[in-house]
Amino acid sequence: MKFRTGYGYDVHRLTEGRELWLCGLHIPHSRGLLGHSDADVALHALCDSLLGAAALRDIGYHFPDSDPKYKGADSKLLLGEVCRMLRRKGFEIGNVDVTIMAEEPKINPHIEEMKRIMSEVMNIPEDDISIKATTTEGLGFTGRREGIAASAVSLIYC
């Protein structure tokens, strides 16, 4: 068996008038993330992690923000396509680990539902998905509540 790992990172600014989507789940909040798609920072980091593990470039290469067909796109659809790309190359997903960095809203109450959604989209067991949340202790743009960041690592194999 051949094992490969990947890492992804993404950030988006919080703004009025947008819905907040994290790990494929709509989370009620006074602000949402600004982006060309639904701006799901966690799924974007995960897509980059998986694409990187398979040496398939990055999310911006495959789903450019200059392409109007991705305007407002559901990031679950992007993640599903990334998983199909990997499988076409002969890879399977071993496990993924996502960390969301935000002062608010509280993420922990939503993690089980996020895992359920991601499991369906990726066609892997929930036990192979880890989602964690942390604050930045008031430091930086996330600490000032200006945006949310996410990082992800993944293991794939063939």
Side-chain angles (χ1 to χ4, degrees), residues 63-95:
F63 313 107
D65 61 9
S66 58
D67 189 334
K69 77 178 177 183
Y70 299 115
K71 177 91 172 133
D74 181 339
S75 293
K76 292 186 299 292
L77 299 176
L78 306 181
L79 177 60
E81 180 56 27
V82 166
C83 292
R84 284 187 288 281
M85 286 182 214
L86 264 64
R87 290 184 174 111
R88 281 193 297 267
K89 253 191 112 167
F91 291 107
E92 287 298 327
I93 299 165
N95 71 297

Side-chain angles (χ1 to χ4, degrees), residues 12-14 33 101-103 141-149:
H12 283 281
R13 178 181 303 277
L14 282 163
L33 293 169
M101 293 151 266
E103 297 296 317
F141 74 92
T142 57
R144 292 186 303 270
R145 295 169 169 80
E146 295 170 4
I148 295 177

